[in-house]
Amino acid sequence: MKKVNVCILFGGISPEHEVSLRSAESVLNNIDKEQYNLFPVGITREGAWILFGGTDYSMLPKGTWVNHPMNRPAAISPVRGQGLLSFEGESVVREQIDVVFPVLHGENGEDGAMQGLLQMAGIPYVGPHVAASAVAMDKTLTKLVADQAGIPQAAWELVRSRELVNRMENTLETLELRFRYPMFVKPAGTGSSVGVSKVMDREQLRQALHTAAEYDSKILVEEFIDGREVEVAVLGNENPVASICGEIDSGAEFYDYDAKYVTDTSTAYIPARIPESVGEIVRDAAVKVYSAIGCQGLSRVDFFVTYAENRVVFNEINTIPGFTSISMYPKLFEASGIPYSKLIDELIRLAMEASR
């Protein structure tokens, strides 16, 4: 049986570059080499594309992969039929790619930009297509879709970074009239909790708005929900299915970037510590969000379940969730009966099915 040519895209210029390297390492180590020919293409922090010439994927999170002697500059051509191009001196090597697995998080990888390039190139790819990726990446657009679909979520307010220049005091007053402390401040277009702050007073709110503005011109401010952080993995195209529910106890003020990837304070509970009936509500809501946005392939959908009433509140959706060895998406489906390597097989199958 002919092997499938799979290009694994990783890295990127977003603040989530390091997370992507860890995700790619896990995917490359767990994918079935008997079924697939692998073409690992990394994008450096500066935006250079490199076809990685090594087989020691532990080099990825260390950052040493960029210096491998067998590396070649590379690009995916937007011209249909050209596939993956790599450059060796004056020569161009063309590889026909059957499917791309973009293990890219954040800007230019998860926001529809890369999906648009692959769409033009006519190459099947894992994950949601252009419109769904763009909507899910912008938390304010996601909120609008969720509102329209009737999905309960935290109250929120959009702040534009330009308002912080001459109207900061008015903005602070408006937010304090709308919400009680604590409140959350987030850049509209980042993942992995990059640039996210939990604020307890006006001075922290002021600083958090400036911090979020470093990452995005649109800033989301949300009311605080006192509840468990519950996550669900969703898989599929026309008939998506939800995994078992998982719960994150951050062991910190909230589940920020450090709690996710740097420290070891967080604890994952699979299944989540919620009643089975509430878990069914969460799973149903996850599929509803996924379908309302128009996702396919995969996404992880995050919720709060309030301590007081077990009320289910939608938080956000991630269309290319983390795929590291400790990431919730693969762990949730492993607990639901689909091992990591089989999950990769299914994602590739769904990508090729969607392109047809």
Side-chain angles (χ1 to χ4, degrees):
M1 190 172 176
K2 183 174 178 270
K3 284 188 175 184
V4 176
N5 288 348
V6 180
C7 175
I8 311 290
L9 279 177
F10 61 89
I13 62 172
S14 87
E16 296 167 79
H17 179 92
E18 290 182 1
V19 182
S20 173
L21 299 182
R22 296 186 200 181
S23 292
E25 178 195 20
S26 291
V27 171
L28 287 161
N29 280 332
N30 285 278
I31 196 168
D32 184 356
K33 277 77 171 180
E34 298 297 316
Q35 288 193 68
Y36 308 109
N37 292 316
L38 302 182
F39 298 88
V41 175
I43 302 171
T44 68
R45 293 179 185 278
E46 296 72 37
W49 288 47
I50 297 171
L51 176 60
F52 177 55
T55 56
D56 177 7
Y57 302 124
S58 69
M59 296 178 72
L60 271 58
K62 296 173 186 174
T64 54
W65 67 275
V66 296
N67 299 316
H68 196 281
M70 299 299 289
N71 286 351
R72 296 202 299 262
I76 289 177
S77 172
V79 180
R80 286 179 175 249
Q82 293 295 301
L84 176 66
L85 309 179
S86 60
F87 306 93
E88 199 165 12
E90 301 274 322
S91 302
V92 178
V93 179
R94 291 179 174 83
E95 299 285 358
Q96 187 65 41
I97 299 298
D98 298 310
V99 63
V100 169
F101 194 148
V103 193
L104 292 162
H105 308 305
E107 183 183 1
N108 292 324
E110 196 175 353
D111 58 4
M114 185 62 68
Q115 289 74 15
L117 169 62
L118 298 172
Q119 199 84 20
M120 287 193 296
I123 303 174
Y125 55 92
V126 170
H129 283 187
V130 179
S133 297
V135 169
M137 191 65 199
D138 187 323
K139 295 178 179 67
T140 61
L141 297 180
T142 303
K143 293 284 188 184
L144 294 173
V145 173
D147 275 340
Q148 185 66 28
I151 297 160
Q153 58 186 331
W156 59 284
E157 191 78 29
L158 170 63
V159 176
R160 303 277 183 176
S161 61
R162 62 175 178 267
E163 296 172 28
L164 308 183
V165 179
N166 298 316
R167 299 185 56 212
M168 174 61 90
E169 298 308 313
N170 287 343
T171 299
L172 294 172
E173 288 173 13
T174 298
L175 294 172
E176 288 177 332
L177 286 171
R178 180 83 195 276
F179 307 116
R180 294 178 179 177
Y181 290 106
M183 59 183 90
F184 275 94
V185 181
K186 307 175 179 180
T190 63
S192 299
S193 298
V194 171
V196 177
S197 303
K198 181 181 179 181
V199 300
M200 309 300 291
D201 57 38
R202 175 174 280 213
E203 196 49 46
Q204 288 184 6
L205 177 58
R206 184 194 308 273
Q207 182 56 50
L209 290 168
H210 283 303
T211 298
E214 293 175 11
Y215 296 97
D216 203 308
S217 62
K218 295 169 72 175
I219 303 164
L220 181 69
V221 181
E222 291 179 313
E223 69 167 327
F224 170 68
I225 301 295
D226 188 23
R228 303 179 189 277
E229 298 192 40
V230 175
E231 302 183 350
V232 179
V234 182
L235 177 71
N237 291 342
E238 296 298 320
N239 300 294
V241 296
S243 72
I244 192 172
C245 296
E247 177 189 344
I248 295 292
D249 182 347
S250 68
E253 192 64 35
F254 69 98
Y255 197 36
D256 61 4
Y257 184 93
D258 283 351
K260 288 177 178 177
Y261 303 111
V262 179
T263 67
D264 56 1
T265 59
S266 65
T267 304
Y269 294 93
I270 302 174
R273 298 172 296 177
I274 55 177
E276 189 174 335
S277 58
V278 177
E280 285 304 310
I281 294 171
V282 173
R283 295 172 76 247
D284 288 346
V287 171
K288 189 174 182 181
V289 171
Y290 186 91
S291 299
I293 291 174
C295 294
Q296 61 189 42
L298 80 161
S299 290
R300 195 194 71 239
V301 192
D302 301 344
F303 296 87
F304 297 109
V305 175
T306 63
Y307 293 118
E309 303 168 325
N310 278 331
R311 185 166 58 94
V312 176
V313 181
F314 169 60
N315 181 20
E316 62 185 35
I317 183 169
N318 296 271
T319 55
I320 303 183
F323 257 82
T324 71
S325 58
I326 61 169
S327 293
M328 284 293 274
Y329 189 91
K331 286 172 71 109
L332 288 169
F333 268 116
E334 187 168 18
S336 302
I338 306 178
Y340 197 121
S341 61
K342 295 298 181 186
L343 181 60
I344 295 172
D345 292 343
E346 180 62 9
L347 288 169
I348 290 172
R349 187 195 69 79
L350 288 167
M352 300 179 81
E353 174 188 273
S355 73
R356 291 194 292 269

